[in-house]
Structure formats: C-alpha cells, structure tokens
Amino acid sequence: MSDVLAPGAVIGIIGGGQLGRMTALAAAPLGYRCHIYTPEKDSPASQVAEKTTVAAYEDEKALTEFAASVDVITYEFENIPVDTVQRLSELVPVRPSQSVLAVSQHRVAEKDFARDSGAQTAPYRHVTSLDQLQEAVADIGRPAVLKTCRFGYDGKGQVKIMDETDLAAAWASLKSDDAVLEGFVSFDKEISVIVARSLDGSCTAFPVAQNHHVDHILSTSTVPAAISEATEQTARTTAVALAERLDLVGLLAVEMFVTGDGGVLVNEVAPRPHNSGHWTQDGCVTSQFEQFVRAVTGLPLGPVDILFPTVMQNLIGSDVDQWKALAAEPHAKLHLYGKAEARPGRKMGHVNRISVS
C-alpha cells in the first residue's frame, strides 16, 4: 500500500503524557522516530522521543513547523482544540481525524453516536440550565450523576444526584452550562475493549479487560475478564462497529458496563491508547501501543492473542514509592512514567503481573 510509512518516518504526537511516552517506545523497534508537541517542559513523552516542540496548542507558527517535520500526526489525549487538529490536517495526515476527536470530546455527542450506531447506553439527557436539570431529574429519576460534557476525567467535573441533593447547589458546583445527566444503572462489572482500525479498513479488537476503579480512578485491569463468551463477543463486536462507523484510523477505547443479564452498555469512548489496555504490554502478542503505531503508519495490524493472564495495577501517587519491591517481584513487569513529583491521584506508573504456568 502506497500510504504505508517506511521505517525512518517521523510520527508527530500531540501531547506529552505517559501514553505518548509508551507510544514512542513502541515506535522505535519498528524503525519510526517520534516528535512530541506539548506545552509541558520535560514531559514523560519527551524523555524518550527524538524531538520535542514545547509550545501552546494555539501557536500557529509552532504548529506549522511541527507539521513540516513529521510524516503523520496522532494524539495521545483528546482534550486538545479541534481547531488545532483541523489546521494540522490541512498540512499532513492526522489519524484519527478531527471528526473522531470532536465526537469523543463531548459526552452527549459520544452517547448520541453510540445510540445511533446501535449500541446501548444508560439513560441520559443533555442539560444546559437549572430548569433543564430539574426536568431531566424528574424524567430519569434519582440517583443519577451530573457531568460536564467536556474536559472531565478520573471523576473530575461531576456530581452525584442523590435523594437529598439540592439541584441548584449541584448545578452551581459544576461551573458549566453544558452538561449531561446520566441515570444510574445496575451493573455487575466494568469492562473495556481497545479496538484498532488501519488504513485499509481492517479492524482488530483486543480481548476484554475487566476494570476496577477506586475514587473514580482505574485501579486494576484483569484479563481475561470474568464474563461469558457471549458477553465478550458482544463487547468486541460493539467496539468494532463504533470504530468502523467513525471511519477510525488508530485506536478506540470503549468503556462499558455489563448488566446482570450479560448485556453491554457503552459508557465512554477515547480515540487513543487507554489505561485499561496497559496489560497488553506484557500479556499480549501485540501491545496496544505497537498496534497504535501500526494503525497510524499503515502497517498490517498485529495479532492480539493473550500470552499470559494479566492483572494491571496503576501506581497512583505515593504507590510509586514501592518501585524497588515491585522490580524485585517475580512475574511483575514495572512501567514508570518519568514524572518528577508524586501527587495524590496522579498516575505515576503501572505494574503488570503475569501468570506463568
């Protein structure tokens, strides 16, 4: 295929976080170089990349020079201006496209998209005023959760609506006039699927990860997930359908709930590598990061067979202080992100514990 980038090509990565770091590390064995674009100095990704541009996402001169230095552009997180990606896409291929980014940046847009694609979701309503919130709560009921439509992650930008919750106070605390009210659903498990789609339209879904959150932050991902074969197939088929309808080139992470009857509800999507896919670095034939590189450069996608049952544990804040013990633990694979300061709630690294029999 003429669109396949040859070894030696440069991948531009917008964002300097740990996902960019691990993508750059996966690109190197395939012969690709990476150029990071980030406003952050000494970012985790810049520590392992060939080149870094430190500039604002609105800096037109820096963006133009960045685009001229790379062969393809991708991004490692989605909270970047769509206008920035649009501008770059006029100069060099951007994968995934800005249309994919736009869907993933807005909670109502992504839920509408999931529903329109035939997937199931929890009940939800778009809320832009206190009056609309009151109407939505009357319709959906309590308990529920009110979330900002943009820029929320790891539990930030949301408030629970319980029987005793004062709606006016809840609305004021959100500090946004663009929100979504989501009804609580009874679910047995939280799962996710990472799906890759390449330039030629081929799609591959990784095995389902079963996720456990603590204080709204992912704590562990376990593979294989303790779900039925039918639920596994439904989850992977759903993720593939979303990727295909988006005309995605790259990775799409789909977070889902498993209901008591084995059904699957789509919660959120992210068009990039995902925390719940870190298990693939040591437990899968192809890691999510290598697959990401393969997809955006046009290489054939790799196989996703499970090599070892794996439990990924996030190292949050001071958890990273255990690095020495973790490095000595048999069958534990330590991955640190190069962040200088451990703060509460900050992801500092992860460890993959593989089961070798």
Side-chain angles (χ1 to χ4, degrees), residues 154-173:
D154 289 347
K156 297 177 176 65
Q158 63 180 258
V159 58
K160 288 182 179 179
I161 306 296
M162 309 301 288
D163 288 342
E164 67 277 11
T165 302
D166 179 86
L167 295 184
W171 180 250
S173 72

Side-chain angles (χ1 to χ4, degrees), residues 232-247:
E232 171 100 16
Q233 186 58 45
T234 298
R236 294 172 81 169
T237 299
T238 298
V240 167
L242 293 177
E244 290 180 336
R245 192 162 187 269
L246 282 168
D247 197 23

Side-chain angles (χ1 to χ4, degrees), residues 6-350:
V10 180
I11 302 170
I13 301 176
I14 304 174
Q18 63 263 22
L19 300 179
R21 177 189 183 95
M22 290 181 277
T23 299
L25 289 170
L30 293 172
Y32 297 111
R33 297 172 289 160
C34 289
H35 182 168
I36 308 300
Y37 190 105
T38 175
E40 180 188 359
K41 293 181 179 179
D42 192 32
S43 66
S46 68
Q47 295 169 7
V48 302
E50 180 185 61
K51 186 176 181 181
T52 300
T53 294
V54 178
Y57 293 126
E58 298 79 15
D59 188 329
E60 294 187 12
K61 180 175 183 293
L63 289 169
T64 300
E65 292 175 354
F66 171 66
S69 72
V70 302
D71 298 290
V72 67
I73 291 174
T74 191
Y75 40 89
E76 60 104 44
F77 79 124
E78 59 269 30
N79 287 340
I80 51 179
V82 172
D83 288 349
T84 295
V85 177
Q86 173 63 43
R87 177 176 297 279
L88 290 170
S89 69
E90 295 168 359
L91 304 172
V92 68
V94 178
R95 301 166 184 159
S97 68
Q98 66 269 21
S99 61
V100 175
L101 183 68
V103 169
S104 70
Q105 282 188 342
H106 195 275
R107 292 185 189 276
V108 171
E110 71 180 357
K111 289 181 183 299
D112 286 348
F113 173 79
R115 283 283 183 93
D116 292 345
S117 302
Q120 301 297 310
T121 70
Y124 66 95
R125 296 290 183 275
H126 193 192
V127 175
T128 60
S129 67
L130 176 57
D131 286 346
Q132 286 189 354
L133 174 60
Q134 292 168 335
E135 293 171 3
V137 170
D139 185 20
I140 289 177
R142 309 187 192 210
V145 60
L146 180 66
K147 301 179 180 179
T148 58
C149 281
R150 298 183 184 274
F151 307 122
Y153 66 97
D154 289 347
K156 297 177 176 65
Q158 63 180 258
V159 58
K160 288 182 179 179
I161 306 296
M162 309 301 288
D163 288 342
E164 67 277 11
T165 302
D166 179 86
L167 295 184
W171 180 250
S173 72
L174 207 63
K175 296 182 174 64
S176 173
D177 59 359
D178 188 18
V180 61
L181 183 76
E182 300 177 6
F184 270 34
V185 295
S186 177
F187 63 88
D188 284 349
K189 297 177 179 70
E190 294 178 84
I191 62 171
S192 57
V193 178
I194 314 291
V195 59
R197 187 170 182 271
S198 197
L199 275 171
D200 63 2
S202 60
C203 257
T204 302
F206 283 89
V208 174
Q210 182 173 330
N211 302 320
H212 174 64
H213 291 78
V214 176
D215 296 331
H216 303 288
I217 301 174
L218 182 65
S219 177
T220 62
S221 293
T222 302
V223 178
I227 56 177
S228 69
E229 185 176 335
T231 299
E232 171 100 16
Q233 186 58 45
T234 298
R236 294 172 81 169
T237 299
T238 298
V240 167
L242 293 177
E244 290 180 336
R245 192 162 187 269
L246 282 168
D247 197 23
L248 175 90
V249 178
L251 287 191
L252 185 72
V254 186
E255 296 182 75
M256 310 176 192
F257 300 122
V258 178
T259 58
D261 60 1
V264 170
L265 303 178
V266 171
N267 183 30
E268 295 182 1
V269 301
R272 51 165 173 78
H274 194 261
N275 196 172
S276 66
H278 292 352
W279 71 271
T280 60
Q281 289 173 297
D282 302 294
C284 192
V285 175
T286 307
S287 78
Q288 67 164 340
F289 300 102
E290 178 184 340
Q291 199 78 303
F292 186 36
V293 172
R294 286 174 172 269
V296 301
T297 60
L299 289 177
L301 299 178
V304 294
D305 306 83
I306 296 173
L307 291 174
F308 307 104
T310 304
V311 178
M312 186 284 301
Q313 177 191 347
N314 269 332
L315 301 177
I316 308 295
S318 61
D319 291 347
V320 75
D321 295 339
Q322 306 168 34
W323 62 267
K324 191 172 182 180
L326 292 169
E329 185 180 322
H331 309 309
K333 304 293 186 179
L334 181 62
H335 301 264
L336 299 180
Y337 303 155
K339 296 179 180 179
E341 181 185 0
R343 299 192 297 265
R346 193 182 198 194
K347 296 172 183 174
M348 301 298 295
H350 66 272

